[in-house]
Amino acid sequence: VQLVESGGDSVQAGGSLRLSCTSDSLTYSSNCMAWFRQAPGREREGVARFDWDGDTDYVDSVKGRFTVSRDSARKTLYLQMNNLKPEDTAMYYCAARLGYCLSFKYFDYYGQGTQVTVS
């Protein structure tokens, strides 16, 4: 399974970006998909997840600003990020867990990441 992220860029604070994650083979509607991020010198953290049944969850720091969505037919996961802040600067990774979500734990596949920089 390959996950490929795109959409990362450099933006000013208050701006917006939409990240995309496509898969070559994964059935999105049967699995848990999520976005993680990792800033330099910090641990990777779960940002948003989209469960196989449509349930979503977010880390507190992005609630009300980020929205995760899925297009199963196109095998694409999205992360709409609004009102970006400098502290959102990080490498963003798409991840997949076979089956249902267990919070942000036990993911089976990760993409290579896409860089988001907010100044």
Side-chain angles (χ1 to χ4, degrees), residues 5-13 15-20 79 81 84-86 88-92 113-119:
E5 303 95 335
S6 62
D9 205 345
S10 296
V11 296
Q12 292 189 338
S16 298
L17 286 173
R18 188 177 79 158
L19 306 183
S20 299
L79 183 66
M81 305 186 294
L84 283 161
K85 303 177 180 181
D88 294 318
T89 295
M91 185 71 79
Y92 283 71
T114 186
Q115 178 68 37
V116 172
T117 303
V118 185
S119 59

Side-chain angles (χ1 to χ4, degrees), residues 1-3 21-34 70-77 94-99 107-110:
V1 173
Q2 280 192 321
L3 301 172
C21 170
T22 58
S23 169
D24 59 340
S25 59
L26 195 66
T27 302
Y28 280 30
S29 60
S30 301
N31 299 293
C32 172
M33 304 295 299
R70 179 185 72 190
D71 185 334
S72 297
R74 298 186 177 187
K75 295 186 176 181
T76 303
L77 182 76
C94 176
R97 168 182 158 75
L98 301 179
F107 280 77
D108 300 293
Y109 305 101
Y110 289 86

Side-chain angles (χ1 to χ4, degrees), residues 60-73:
D60 286 346
S61 60
V62 308
K63 286 181 179 178
R65 301 188 297 121
F66 290 12
T67 303
V68 62
S69 60
R70 179 185 72 190
D71 185 334
S72 297

